[in-house]
Amino acid sequence: MADLEELYREIILDHYRSPRNRGELTDEAALRAEGFNPLCGDEILITLHVDHGVLSDIKISGQGCSISQSSASLMSAAVKGKSLDEVRQIIATFKTLMTVHEAQLEDGDAEPEAVDLRKLGELAALQGVVKFPMRIKCATLGWNTLTQCLDDASL
Amino acid sequence: MADLEELYREIILDHYRSPRNRGELTDEAALRAEGFNPLCGDEILITLHVDHGVLSDIKISGQGCSISQSSASLMSAAVKGKSLDEVRQIIATFKTLMTVHEAQLEDGDAEPEAVDLRKLGELAALQGVVKFPMRIKCATLGWNTLTQCLDDASL
Amino acid sequence: MATVSGTLDVNAIRRDFPLLERQSHGHRLSYLDSGASSLPPHAVVEAMATYYETTHANVHRGVYETAEEATRLYEDARRTVGRFLGASHPTREIAFTKNTTEAINLLAHSWGGANLGEGDVVVLSIMEHHANIVPWQMLAAAKGIELRWLGLTDELRLDLDGLDEALDGAKLLSITAMSNVLGTINPIGDLARAAHDAGALIHVDGAQAVPHLPTDVVASELDFLSFSGHKMLGPTGIGVLYGKAELLAAMPPFLGGGGMILDVRTDRFTAAEAPQRFEAGTPPIAEAVGLAEAVRYIDSIGITSIRAHELELTSYALDALDGVANGHLTVHGPPAGPDRGGVLSITLDDVHAHDVAQILDSVGVCVRPGHHCAKPLMRHLGVQATARASFGLYNGTDDVDALVEGLEQATTLFG
Amino acid sequence: MATVSGTLDVNAIRRDFPLLERQSHGHRLSYLDSGASSLPPHAVVEAMATYYETTHANVHRGVYETAEEATRLYEDARRTVGRFLGASHPTREIAFTKNTTEAINLLAHSWGGANLGEGDVVVLSIMEHHANIVPWQMLAAAKGIELRWLGLTDELRLDLDGLDEALDGAKLLSITAMSNVLGTINPIGDLARAAHDAGALIHVDGAQAVPHLPTDVVASELDFLSFSGHKMLGPTGIGVLYGKAELLAAMPPFLGGGGMILDVRTDRFTAAEAPQRFEAGTPPIAEAVGLAEAVRYIDSIGITSIRAHELELTSYALDALDGVANGHLTVHGPPAGPDRGGVLSITLDDVHAHDVAQILDSVGVCVRPGHHCAKPLMRHLGVQATARASFGLYNGTDDVDALVEGLEQATTLFG
Ligand SMILES: Cc1ncc(COP(=O)(O)O)c(C=O)c1O
Ligand SMILES: Cc1ncc(COP(=O)(O)O)c(C=O)c1O
């Protein structure tokens, strides 16, 4: 049960109940990407604006569990207003956090880098997820979708 | 080893070494049917003549083990010169002999009929085969091919 | 304390399932995921181990003693499975596949490939598992066939009103006997007659039904039936396609290779008879031995008793769930009754299925969250995921009680 | 008294294989049919039984403890198998199938379906198993591709003289690493380079090689490799298709159903990533656990030692057979050496292979008679069937001696 409480920290439940940057940017200029978690059916739609190298606005819609929703909400708060370089940096740091354990489910034996949790701010709350390997894909759904959105636009 | 000797009776080996009615009828009037045993690669070609309801000539070619070859040879000797009714009768009797045990590998639980071995003449020598279920298909190859030949010609 | 059921002695049955002795997170394991995969009784595991350690050999071509025995065991399994379904000609009507999914792909590719063309209609229902959707979509993409969809009533039963219209001019009705999400049991005998009246054949996805309900392919007049070993107390790695003898006999091969041929030359091959024609390569031999043992185990308990027990448990559970979460809990499916199987798809208004399942796990209750490979149905229900509890003969009211308690915890945590 | 081999302690190894304690017709069992299917060591049987009795659950979708463990075991098996082959990206390059045959059908259907059209050339060899012929013939019938055949030298090695010509303009070379009839080991690294130089890809049928020879897909530059669990001390019901990550990633799905999709709507589906895309339905979970254990067992003995042992045994056997039947015995295959595996296809001038095998059975010697699913090769050899003895790590000179003695009996009986 200790693990469970670490998973469902108050901050996670808060972002789940009151997701930040909820909605959809529907104008022509908005970049869009959809993500699925085929294992559990979670769906996410990310729309965002990039102005002069800055991720100026981001909206998240879709449905999913507390982990995928709060992670996407925390992500949106973390990346909004940041330069694309910073965004890439945040994504990389977060993915490293998740990979610490996801590595067990992936290739290779490379020692994962340690992550400085202080750098992560609120995102550090998602740390409890790594004890639940099946949930890592929930936590990373929004992040992978954001990456894809930037990649698709060659940003 | 007792079973093995029953399988390889002298008469079987004799028909294997000196097959009766070996060859192929190549004239236009000859009926033909080919049989395979996909399990072991045995192949058989039966050609025959039917005149006024009598199986007047039959030739066997192909390659196979002592059981398939001797069984076909014994069969050719048993059916040659017989009326088609008699041929069907001989086929049925022989198949019943084999089915006594093949039944275990096939559908249904029907009690197989007993076969009067005296009626079978030399064919009774093949009786030892039923103790070797995997070989029954060898013994019946020629017979099934003959049946198919007659069926194909609607005889 | 396991059972309400006068029908089955669940405590005795549990002793046959070693996995149920396991604890999870310090709790007794309440395995409520038999709809995904059932647990095998010890007899099944033992039968396979014994096979491997006393008999194993490749089948069909060997003449030595163990090869003959292995062949006999494998072919006996075909008969055992066929008899369990009431098939008239088990040795010609049962093809072993790797799972239900392969069985349906085989059907779509072979029967569908040979018998369906541009504009031909296959009727499905909206409650199908992806295994009974995607193969037909692939065929639609390849050959231009049309898919028609039967809908559901408000009570989440199959909507029979649209049946005749949907079947009009159709070549095949391919439908599940029991929904893996709703528990809805479809009237497959009636559907078969309706299909035949319309000149169509019927294929039934029996993955959920065969393990839990009496099946009689002859009485129900089924043309094709598919199901999996691992959902009926058997091993993984084996499934079954039943087809009427004359239908299978007329179907072209699916996978090519050893065992399915009569002859191969460099420029052509000749296919073997059915069902061997559909069993390319070394078949799942040990798995067939295990599946036959699973059938014997089910027979020893009695499928009718299993069904009665699971229905009692379903009623008990539906009653028990009624009080949970103050009306914020939904069980998606018809009320308990003769057309209701032991599958409970639960949603809570405020807790996502994934979180429900996670919290249940922490108290030893195994349920499955997600779309259950039935996304069109999920869209119809307007939900994205449910937490599904599904019963097996080894479940008792104690498992339901644990489920209810876990659900209360979930509502509290997310309250 | 089991061994000539300085390499392996066969007596110790045999204790790991319970089936070898069995008697047959009152004789010690000489199991010489590993080419058809190998015997599993106790550790493999035990790993599967333990899996079933402590862990079993369906993979990928459950969040409860046993489902997580089952998923991990299944995915770990992928990594274990991938590492055994030297794959760079095991989790993306290993797809589990039901056997080699399905793996090759998958390749032909998916890669072939997407990349080959009218007139495109696939090069095979005349020594292929039907599993590596029939799927390509089916594709030829469906899409009008051309099949070209590599021949053999007098010594029954692959005839490399015709190689460049055959590869000219070809899209794929699909060839066995080791003949299941001749024991011939093909130079797959060289063949891969030749194929690549000609702009073709290479698929290697590793059903016979992977269990008996060191394999390194990267060093040999293989694009695709297929093989079966049951020939490498593992269970029935599982096979493997290895494909380079970028190749698998670009291939369309084969079987449709659950687990291989991202999304399904009534009018379309979206496929998942490779290798999941190729694993429709519930996969062979327990079988993957067993296969991983088989790989660990092989690793514990060492594939190089196994190879050395089997080569020694092959030399011993070829010498011993030389004197049998007064020159009326033929072993179809190259002389013992680095390109010769432990498979002895025997014909006697006066005794049919089927009878040879039957007589050998009566003294406890298990060999396989027939065409070994290689009819084009049999036609090339001008024989209809051979009696094939094939070695595994548990065989010793005593098995060869029993074989020789049984062959003498056969010649006497039919003499
Ligand atoms: C060279 C070769 N390829 C393919 C196969 C087919 O393997 P499976 O029957 O396991 O699909 C075999 C085994 O019979 C073989 O020896
Ligand atoms: C109704 C239904 N059909 C088909 C399947 C697919 O079965 P398998 O995964 O064994 O192929 C399932 C199981 O998930 C099911 O519930």
Side-chain angles (χ1 to χ4, degrees):
Chain A
M1 286 304 278
D3 283 352
L4 198 70
E5 275 155 29
E6 250 202 87
L7 180 66
Y8 293 122
R9 295 202 187 161
E10 198 42 57
I11 188 165
I12 303 271
L13 295 178
D14 175 51
H15 273 263
Y16 178 51
R17 293 192 191 103
S18 324
R20 320 299 195 258
N21 302 303
R22 184 93 191 150
E24 185 176 341
L25 301 167
T26 52
D27 59 300
E28 290 260 303
L31 302 176
R32 314 165 60 85
E34 270 184 299
F36 291 106
N37 182 339
L39 302 183
C40 61
D42 284 6
E43 298 171 349
I44 197 163
L45 171 67
I46 295 185
T47 46
L48 54 83
H49 283 155
V50 175
D51 284 322
H52 300 89
V54 170
L55 197 158
S56 57
D57 200 4
I58 180 165
K59 295 275 183 209
I60 312 276
S61 68
Q63 289 184 306
C65 67
S66 62
I67 303 303
S68 74
Q69 295 300 293
S70 62
S71 180
S73 170
L74 282 157
M75 174 186 80
S76 71
V79 299
K80 190 170 162 176
K82 295 285 179 355
S83 76
L84 289 178
D85 278 354
E86 287 170 300
V87 170
R88 289 282 187 185
Q89 188 56 47
I90 295 167
I91 294 176
T93 313
F94 178 75
K95 284 235 173 168
T96 312
L97 177 70
M98 290 297 127
T99 319
V100 176
H101 291 245
E102 198 174 20
Q104 296 169 9
L105 282 170
E106 293 293 334
D107 291 346
D109 293 313
E111 195 60 44
E113 299 164 48
V115 175
D116 185 346
L117 289 177
R118 285 162 309 181
K119 275 205 210 149
L120 281 167
E122 277 203 321
L123 289 175
L126 283 161
Q127 197 194 350
V129 174
V130 295
K131 293 232 177 85
F132 296 84
M134 302 302 281
R135 305 304 293 279
I136 291 176
K137 292 232 186 291
C138 307
T140 53
L141 177 63
W143 299 80
N144 290 335
T145 310
L146 175 60
T147 306
Q148 190 198 312
C149 188
L150 300 178
D151 288 352
D152 285 352
S154 306
L155 287 171
Chain B
M1 287 302 281
D3 283 352
L4 199 70
E5 275 155 28
E6 250 201 85
L7 179 67
Y8 293 123
R9 292 201 188 162
E10 199 41 58
I11 189 164
I12 304 269
L13 295 178
D14 175 50
H15 273 263
Y16 177 51
R17 292 191 192 106
S18 324
R20 321 297 195 261
N21 303 302
R22 184 91 192 153
E24 185 176 341
L25 301 167
T26 53
D27 60 301
E28 290 261 302
L31 303 176
R32 314 165 62 84
E34 271 185 298
F36 290 107
N37 182 339
L39 303 183
C40 60
D42 285 4
E43 298 172 346
I44 198 163
L45 171 67
I46 294 183
T47 47
L48 54 84
H49 284 155
V50 175
D51 283 323
H52 301 91
V54 170
L55 197 159
S56 56
D57 200 4
I58 181 166
K59 295 277 182 206
I60 312 277
S61 67
Q63 288 184 305
C65 66
S66 62
I67 304 302
S68 74
Q69 295 300 293
S70 63
S71 181
S73 171
L74 282 156
M75 174 186 80
S76 71
V79 299
K80 188 168 162 179
K82 295 283 177 0
S83 75
L84 289 177
D85 278 356
E86 287 168 303
V87 170
R88 289 282 188 186
Q89 187 56 46
I90 294 167
I91 295 175
T93 312
F94 178 75
K95 285 232 172 167
T96 312
L97 177 69
M98 290 297 126
T99 321
V100 175
H101 292 243
E102 197 173 20
Q104 298 168 7
L105 283 170
E106 294 294 333
D107 292 348
D109 293 313
E111 195 60 44
E113 298 163 51
V115 175
D116 185 346
L117 289 176
R118 285 162 308 180
K119 273 203 211 150
L120 282 167
E122 279 203 320
L123 290 175
L126 284 161
Q127 196 194 351
V129 174
V130 295
K131 295 230 178 86
F132 296 84
M134 303 301 281
R135 305 305 294 279
I136 290 175
K137 292 232 190 286
C138 308
T140 53
L141 177 63
W143 300 81
N144 289 336
T145 310
L146 176 59
T147 307
Q148 191 198 312
C149 187
L150 300 178
D151 289 353
D152 286 353
S154 307
L155 287 171
Chain C
M1 272 300 297
T3 174
V4 283
S5 160
T7 326
L8 291 189
D9 180 350
V10 172
N11 289 322
I13 285 175
R14 282 183 186 168
R15 285 194 287 274
D16 298 333
F17 293 82
L19 209 152
L20 292 175
E21 282 154 34
R22 179 177 165 150
Q23 301 247 322
S24 182
H25 306 299
H27 295 260
R28 189 180 73 78
L29 198 75
S30 282
Y31 189 75
L32 294 174
D33 199 20
S34 296
S37 201
S38 52
L39 305 177
H42 180 66
V44 166
V45 177
E46 171 111 338
M48 290 191 287
T50 302
Y51 165 75
Y52 275 125
E53 303 208 325
T54 68
T55 311
H56 175 64
N58 213 328
V59 294
H60 292 322
R61 280 155 302 201
V63 295
Y64 54 86
E65 193 173 33
T66 51
E68 238 180 57
E69 286 174 20
T71 303
R72 173 151 308 198
L73 286 170
Y74 181 69
E75 293 302 326
D76 276 350
R78 210 189 288 283
R79 271 191 296 282
T80 303
V81 168
R83 287 205 196 98
F84 182 66
L85 307 175
S88 316
H89 309 287
T91 57
R92 286 181 289 145
E93 301 188 319
I94 301 295
F96 286 124
T97 62
K98 66 174 175 174
N99 52 27
T100 305
T101 304
E102 188 200 346
I104 303 179
N105 278 273
L106 192 179
L107 181 69
H109 197 275
S110 168
W111 181 86
N115 293 285
L116 300 178
E118 185 77 34
D120 279 340
V121 173
V122 171
V123 180
L124 307 174
S125 91
I126 208 77
M127 67 170 90
E128 297 313 311
H129 186 280
H130 294 163
N132 193 29
I133 298 176
V134 180
W136 305 110
Q137 290 182 328
M138 289 174 142
L139 196 66
K143 308 203 48 165
I145 65 166
E146 180 195 333
L147 303 182
R148 283 191 202 143
W149 299 83
L150 297 173
L152 305 183
T153 66
D154 291 346
E155 279 206 314
L156 300 175
R157 296 192 172 92
L158 192 68
D159 187 355
L160 298 172
D161 281 354
L163 182 65
D164 288 339
E165 198 184 326
L167 285 174
D168 188 35
K171 289 271 171 78
L172 180 73
L173 170 61
S174 185
I175 191 159
T176 189
M178 172 171 150
S179 162
N180 66 318
V181 175
L182 308 170
T184 306
I185 295 170
N186 290 323
I188 53 168
D190 295 345
L191 292 169
R193 277 176 287 278
H196 293 155
D197 286 349
L201 296 184
I202 184 165
H203 160 251
V204 166
D205 174 351
Q208 293 294 331
V210 170
H212 301 282
L213 309 170
T215 303
D216 186 327
V217 289
V218 171
S220 299
E221 296 181 28
L222 305 189
D223 298 304
F224 298 106
L225 174 72
S226 50
F227 54 98
S228 292
H230 70 94
K231 292 189 204 272
M232 54 187 289
L233 314 184
T236 55
I238 190 163
V240 172
L241 178 67
Y242 160 85
K244 268 195 194 152
E246 59 276 20
L247 293 170
L248 284 192
M251 279 159 54
F254 174 42
L255 305 182
M260 56 67 73
I261 59 96
L262 283 183
D263 192 21
V264 176
R265 294 169 179 267
T266 50
D267 61 342
R268 65 177 184 278
F269 72 91
T270 325
E273 305 277 282
Q276 283 70 33
R277 187 188 307 154
F278 305 113
E279 296 183 353
T282 302
I285 311 169
E287 291 78 2
V289 170
L291 178 56
E293 191 62 32
V295 167
R296 280 188 287 273
Y297 184 85
I298 292 174
D299 275 340
S300 76
I301 309 282
I303 187 82
T304 321
S305 307
I306 292 172
R307 167 63 183 146
H309 167 70
E310 291 176 7
L311 184 54
E312 280 177 61
L313 209 53
T314 305
S315 302
Y316 177 90
L318 287 171
D319 285 350
L321 289 169
D322 211 24
V324 176
N326 273 327
H328 292 287
L329 180 149
T330 311
V331 180
H332 301 269
D339 64 350
R340 180 64 156 90
V343 172
L344 305 169
S345 262
I346 298 167
T347 51
L348 288 170
D349 289 349
D350 301 317
V351 197
H352 189 276
H354 227 121
D355 297 310
V356 171
Q358 193 77 62
I359 291 159
L360 287 172
D361 165 60
S362 72
V363 294
V365 177
C366 308
V367 304
R368 189 152 292 242
H371 53 62
H372 315 300
C373 297
K375 285 203 119 191
L377 174 60
M378 301 313 265
R379 289 209 173 79
H380 173 91
L381 297 175
V383 302
Q384 185 208 11
T386 73
R388 183 188 68 181
S390 51
F391 297 132
L393 75 175
Y394 32 62
N395 291 123
T397 51
D398 48 358
D399 296 317
V400 175
D401 296 344
L403 170 70
V404 167
E405 203 173 306
L407 289 167
E408 302 281 16
Q409 286 187 26
T411 28
T412 310
L413 184 65
F414 277 78
Chain D
M1 274 299 298
T3 174
V4 281
S5 159
T7 325
L8 292 189
D9 181 350
V10 173
N11 289 321
I13 286 175
R14 282 185 186 166
R15 286 193 285 276
D16 297 334
F17 293 82
L19 209 153
L20 292 174
E21 282 155 32
R22 179 177 165 154
Q23 300 249 320
S24 182
H25 306 298
H27 295 262
R28 189 180 74 77
L29 199 74
S30 282
Y31 188 76
L32 295 174
D33 199 20
S34 296
S37 201
S38 52
L39 306 177
H42 180 67
V44 166
V45 176
E46 172 111 338
M48 290 191 287
T50 301
Y51 164 76
Y52 275 126
E53 303 210 324
T54 68
T55 312
H56 176 64
N58 213 328
V59 293
H60 292 321
R61 279 156 302 202
V63 294
Y64 54 86
E65 193 173 33
T66 51
E68 238 181 56
E69 286 175 19
T71 302
R72 172 149 310 200
L73 286 170
Y74 181 69
E75 293 301 328
D76 276 349
R78 209 189 290 283
R79 270 189 298 280
T80 302
V81 168
R83 286 205 196 100
F84 183 64
L85 306 176
S88 318
H89 309 286
T91 57
R92 286 180 289 145
E93 301 189 319
I94 301 295
F96 286 124
T97 62
K98 65 175 176 175
N99 51 26
T100 305
T101 305
E102 189 201 347
I104 303 179
N105 277 272
L106 192 179
L107 180 70
H109 197 277
S110 169
W111 181 85
N115 293 286
L116 300 178
E118 185 76 33
D120 280 340
V121 173
V122 172
V123 180
L124 307 174
S125 91
I126 207 75
M127 67 169 91
E128 298 312 311
H129 186 280
H130 294 162
N132 193 28
I133 298 176
V134 180
W136 305 111
Q137 291 182 328
M138 289 174 140
L139 198 65
K143 307 203 54 167
I145 65 166
E146 180 195 333
L147 303 183
R148 282 190 203 145
W149 298 83
L150 298 173
L152 306 183
T153 67
D154 291 346
E155 279 207 315
L156 300 176
R157 297 193 170 92
L158 193 68
D159 187 355
L160 297 173
D161 281 352
L163 182 64
D164 288 339
E165 198 184 328
L167 284 173
D168 187 38
K171 289 271 171 77
L172 180 73
L173 170 61
S174 185
I175 191 158
T176 189
M178 172 171 149
S179 163
N180 66 318
V181 175
L182 308 171
T184 306
I185 296 170
N186 291 323
I188 53 169
D190 296 343
L191 293 169
R193 278 176 286 277
H196 293 154
D197 286 348
L201 296 184
I202 184 166
H203 160 250
V204 166
D205 174 350
Q208 293 295 332
V210 171
H212 301 282
L213 309 172
T215 303
D216 186 327
V217 289
V218 171
S220 299
E221 297 182 27
L222 305 190
D223 298 303
F224 298 107
L225 173 71
S226 50
F227 55 99
S228 293
H230 71 93
K231 293 188 203 275
M232 54 186 288
L233 314 184
T236 56
I238 190 163
V240 172
L241 179 67
Y242 160 85
K244 265 194 196 152
E246 59 276 21
L247 292 170
L248 283 192
M251 278 160 55
F254 174 43
L255 305 182
M260 55 66 74
I261 59 98
L262 283 183
D263 192 22
V264 177
R265 295 169 179 269
T266 52
D267 62 343
R268 66 178 182 278
F269 71 92
T270 324
E273 304 278 281
Q276 282 69 32
R277 186 188 307 154
F278 305 112
E279 297 183 353
T282 303
I285 312 169
E287 290 78 2
V289 170
L291 178 56
E293 192 62 32
V295 168
R296 281 189 286 273
Y297 184 86
I298 292 174
D299 275 341
S300 76
I301 309 281
I303 186 83
T304 319
S305 308
I306 292 172
R307 168 62 184 146
H309 168 69
E310 291 177 8
L311 184 55
E312 280 178 64
L313 211 51
T314 305
S315 303
Y316 177 90
L318 287 171
D319 285 349
L321 289 168
D322 210 24
V324 176
N326 271 326
H328 292 288
L329 181 150
T330 310
V331 180
H332 301 269
D339 64 349
R340 181 64 156 89
V343 172
L344 305 169
S345 263
I346 298 166
T347 50
L348 287 171
D349 289 348
D350 302 318
V351 198
H352 188 277
H354 227 118
D355 296 311
V356 171
Q358 193 78 62
I359 292 160
L360 287 172
D361 166 59
S362 71
V363 294
V365 177
C366 308
V367 304
R368 188 152 293 242
H371 53 61
H372 315 298
C373 298
K375 284 202 119 192
L377 175 60
M378 300 313 263
R379 288 208 174 81
H380 174 90
L381 297 175
V383 302
Q384 184 208 11
T386 72
R388 183 188 69 180
S390 51
F391 298 131
L393 74 174
Y394 33 63
N395 291 124
T397 50
D398 50 358
D399 295 318
V400 175
D401 297 342
L403 170 70
V404 167
E405 202 174 308
L407 288 168
E408 301 280 16
Q409 285 187 25
T411 28
T412 309
L413 184 64
F414 276 79

